[in-house]
Amino acid sequence: MADNFSHTTTAHASPQKIWRLWTDTDTWPDWNPMVVLVRLEGPFRPGTRGLMVPNRSAVSRMIITEVIHEKVTAYDLRMLLGRMHIRREMEVLPLGGIRIVQTVRFSGVLKWYHQFLYKDYYNNHLEKVLDNMVSEAMFSDY
């Protein structure tokens, strides 16, 4: 079984708009069908904690783990005897456009259980999440 689930896309969206979508958690439900609600207890920076309401499971505690301006965001979600780690990376391409990678991986005692439980879901939905995000950045006034 895969240790992580990942999808990569390229687009001609504005890196600044993608960055704003990544760091404004109020927009996440607009482009990520996996998310119902996110509330942070402070600014989007490493160490900030919050709550996420996913559409397929219980409310999860979250913590922002990494932020590199206009390049990387990462956060962890607490799960039953484990964690889900979500990392987004953006690279401006030399000939124009950007490459975006989103990776999801699990850790903890029940890592194998979470991988099995979510494998079909993430294999089928990460592409849609990135496509929605790019569309939001390209075609909305955000």
Side-chain angles (χ1 to χ4, degrees):
M1 189 172 314
D3 280 342
N4 63 52
F5 307 96
S6 185
H7 185 72
T8 302
T9 191
T10 55
H12 289 284
S14 157
Q16 294 79 19
K17 281 189 173 186
I18 295 289
W19 185 254
R20 284 195 301 270
L21 291 172
W22 283 0
T23 57
D24 181 354
T25 57
D26 289 342
T27 71
W28 290 10
D30 297 339
W31 51 268
N32 188 339
M34 298 180 202
V35 175
V36 175
L37 176 75
V38 177
R39 288 293 175 252
L40 294 180
E41 298 168 355
F44 196 95
R45 67 176 183 221
T48 297
R49 296 181 182 276
L51 294 174
M52 177 185 285
V53 180
N55 71 352
R56 285 195 53 164
S57 60
V59 173
S60 298
R61 298 280 308 152
M62 67 181 289
I63 185 169
I64 307 298
T65 57
E66 184 178 13
V67 177
I68 302 172
H69 186 70
E70 293 189 2
K71 292 187 187 304
V72 175
T73 66
Y75 59 95
D76 290 355
L77 295 172
R78 191 181 305 168
M79 303 181 80
L80 177 65
L81 296 176
R83 288 190 180 268
M84 180 189 307
H85 311 277
I86 297 97
R87 181 178 171 91
R88 297 182 184 122
E89 302 172 60
M90 177 171 42
E91 173 189 8
V92 177
L93 300 172
L95 298 177
I98 55 175
R99 178 180 299 121
I100 302 167
V101 180
Q102 180 161 326
T103 304
V104 176
R105 72 178 177 81
F106 299 94
S107 65
V109 174
L110 291 182
K111 169 184 173 178
W112 60 272
Y113 171 77
H114 295 298
Q115 287 172 331
F116 177 77
L117 185 66
Y118 289 100
K119 70 177 165 108
D120 290 335
Y121 190 69
Y122 282 109
N123 282 333
N124 294 323
H125 285 83
L126 281 180
E127 180 176 5
K128 181 174 179 55
V129 168
L130 292 185
D131 288 348
N132 288 349
M133 180 186 53
V134 167
S135 291
E136 185 79 13
M138 291 178 69
F139 302 114
S140 76
D141 292 333
Y142 187 78

